[in-house]
Amino acid sequence: MPRTWLTDRFGIDVPLVGAPMAGVSDGRLAAAVSAAGALGMFGVPPAVPPSWIIEQAAVAAGSGRPYGIGLMAWALPDTPGHLDAVLAAKPSLVSVSFGDYARYVEPLRQAGIAVATQAGTTDEARAAEQAGVDVIVARGGEGGGHGRDDVATLPLLQGVLDAVAVPVLAAGGIATARGLAAVLAAGAEGAWVGTAFLACAETTTSQAARQRVIDADETGTAYGRVFDVAQRLAWPPEYGGRALRNAFFDRWHGRETALAADEAAGAELEAARREGDFDTAYVYAGQAVGLVRGQRMAADVVRGFAAADELLGRFDKA
């Protein structure tokens, strides 16, 4: 694989980050991705206690390789112990995104931790550079989970690379070696990937959820705020979520005001989550979900991305 800022900064073999997917990636998945030669991360759900972060960090560190943790900036004011736990764990990389993240950059960097943030527009990337982050994740609207839906990955990546001087990773719609090769050729230092790992055995999701991912095609996702509104989550409204389309989403999309006042709908969603009813409960996934064709181990997914080296070298061999 080509050497990039990402591989050199963290001593990894493949210029790839396993995205910190809260509720999907914990220390086990992060460790597996890191052990395979990429940089594994786990995401921190707002409701967990600080002790959960310490426990999962210990699992992630068990690979003996660098790992990272993802935080939601909008949730941190109400969960101050989360930042303290992350500082105590001292991962190699921390992502703080979606909200007022700038105040957390310097404390993390002073602790010797590299800081990333996700940007969904070129203006957000410029602001991130001004805030002093070490690396910017240019996240296009194709990406699964939460973020902006304003710009697709490829035009966003081009704009961000032209606008900032700090290292840039590409996110959104990258699920195979072809996608990694494409963003490396464009000038990104690596890819930030979540959906490709959704069906891995090391995730925290159920077998039924993984099967939904495997069965979905490239048109099977939808973007909106339905699931956040139903759960009364305080996500900033500009950051909706991309998930597998289902009956609950279709029923409430465009009716979010009514949903916010409907307690029965919230209870229905919570019951469906407990019961694994994914006609109602959500599975966050990006538009690359159609490229996930079976359950694999995380190491196999990372190994597949490493084939980008052959794609990048094909012109040299012509």
Side-chain angles (χ1 to χ4, degrees):
M1 291 298 301
R3 305 306 302 174
T4 71
W5 174 89
L6 180 66
T7 59
D8 290 347
R9 174 67 185 257
F10 300 108
I12 60 177
D13 305 313
V14 183
L16 183 76
V17 175
M21 301 176 285
V24 173
S25 61
D26 63 4
R28 183 183 177 212
L29 180 61
V33 172
S34 291
L39 181 69
M41 299 186 74
F42 67 87
V44 179
V48 300
S51 59
W52 182 90
I53 298 173
I54 297 298
E55 292 164 1
Q56 298 306 317
V59 174
S63 71
R65 304 293 299 271
Y67 73 95
I69 299 175
L71 297 170
M72 304 172 192
W74 63 267
L76 285 176
D78 295 325
T79 55
H82 283 188
L83 181 65
D84 293 338
V86 169
L87 289 169
K90 290 193 173 181
S92 298
L93 176 68
V94 169
S95 168
V96 189
S97 306
F98 313 127
D100 184 12
Y101 64 86
R103 71 176 83 173
Y104 305 110
V105 173
E106 195 54 31
L108 288 163
R109 295 194 74 208
Q110 286 182 355
I113 301 168
V115 182
T117 197
Q118 299 184 50
T121 66
T122 301
D123 282 345
E124 281 192 339
R126 291 191 183 99
E129 183 176 42
Q130 289 296 313
V133 302
D134 295 284
V135 57
I136 294 168
V137 182
R139 181 203 176 278
E142 302 98 316
H146 287 82
R148 289 188 181 273
D149 191 34
D150 299 329
V151 189
T153 301
L154 192 53
L156 176 64
L157 178 62
Q158 294 170 82
V160 171
L161 287 170
D162 285 345
V164 303
V166 297
V168 176
L169 306 178
I174 303 165
T176 69
R178 295 185 188 280
L180 176 57
V183 299
L184 289 173
E189 304 294 338
W192 179 278
V193 172
T195 296
F197 292 102
L198 282 179
C200 287
E202 298 95 338
T203 66
T204 62
T205 55
S206 67
Q207 184 60 47
R210 293 175 201 162
Q211 194 60 49
R212 284 276 178 149
V213 169
I214 293 165
D215 291 343
D217 64 23
E218 62 190 11
T219 64
T221 68
Y223 177 89
R225 301 185 61 240
V226 166
F227 298 118
D228 294 333
V229 172
Q231 296 175 90
R232 311 299 191 261
L233 295 178
W235 273 94
E238 62 268 32
Y239 302 120
R242 183 172 295 282
L244 298 183
R245 181 185 291 277
N246 65 11
F248 188 86
F249 182 91
D250 287 342
R251 189 196 330 160
W252 289 107
H253 185 52
R255 301 176 56 225
E256 286 80 4
T257 300
L259 177 59
D262 193 317
E263 296 297 331
E268 177 189 2
L269 180 61
E270 181 57 34
R273 290 181 62 201
R274 292 194 303 269
E275 296 164 7
D277 171 12
F278 294 106
D279 288 330
T280 297
Y282 53 83
V283 177
Y284 285 110
Q287 289 182 338
V289 70
L291 297 168
V292 181
R293 301 188 176 102
Q295 181 167 302
R296 304 166 70 190
M297 301 300 288
D300 295 327
V301 175
V302 174
R303 191 175 301 114
F305 276 104
D309 188 35
E310 298 175 14
L311 294 166
L312 290 167
R314 69 191 182 102
F315 295 108
D316 294 335
K317 298 172 185 176

